Amino acid sequence: MTASEYIPDGADLETLRKAAGECRGCDLYRHATQAVFGAGPGDARVVMIGEQPGDREDVVGQPFVGPAGRLLNRALAEAAIDRSMVYLTNAVKHFKFEERGKRRIHQQPGRTEIVACRPWLEAELAVVRPELVVCLGAVAARSIFGPSFRVTRQRGEVIALEDYRAAATVHPSAVLRAPDRDGAYAEFLGDLRAMRTAMD
Ligand code: URA
Ligand code: SF4
């Protein structure tokens, strides 16, 4: 099972977004509130890829509107990466979670779901055609660079791929969870600044 059969050919972002709402390419649509498609201008220079929508994103229907998104916004501003340059999306479009009482606990998407959902990411990249793809965390990085990529070893490095350049850093949620949050934030910001410089 993959998303391919749900993706209209040659569609623009708005049409893709609507189609993603009907995707049954893996089982995650069953429990999530809605698909959370990418957001941002179709002519963005940068595509940033997170993991999957979180609890807040699942409810609102927009990527990065919760705590991780707030941290990301702050870092983008500090790295002088204007939001109008950025199309934000996720490797997986539906929220995967486990119910514990009233709480919904985030679960990492598995290989099957990442692979199933990858055609949506490819469709977004084909429309936006960014100069730079920024992977936020290991799930996005493995989706773009392959399973042997290690964020800890290669973070901040800008790598030329066939259609665009790409780089990876940690996920903003990992910064929020880090024991030394200020240090982790400074490193995250350093990576984003290096990527910003590579675009000049
Ligand atoms: N984390 C992600 O990876 N993506 C979101 O959209 C929100 C949190
Ligand atoms: Fe389709 Fe991706 Fe949602 Fe799975 S997670 S149903 S592949 S949009």
Side-chain angles (χ1 to χ4, degrees), residues 50-54 57 63-64 68 90 171 173:
E51 183 192 83
Q52 63 169 337
E57 289 78 17
F64 286 103
N90 285 299
H171 194 283
S173 298

Side-chain angles (χ1 to χ4, degrees), residues 1-4 6 19-30 35-37 91-95 112-120:
M1 243 178 12
T2 94
S4 317
Y6 299 93
E22 307 300 318
C23 183
R24 306 284 183 262
C26 75
D27 282 336
L28 293 186
Y29 77 89
R30 291 176 189 275
V36 177
F37 205 64
V92 171
K93 308 303 194 225
H94 276 102
F95 180 37
T112 319
E113 291 134 2
I114 296 166
V115 169
C117 212
R118 211 192 125 84
W120 288 116

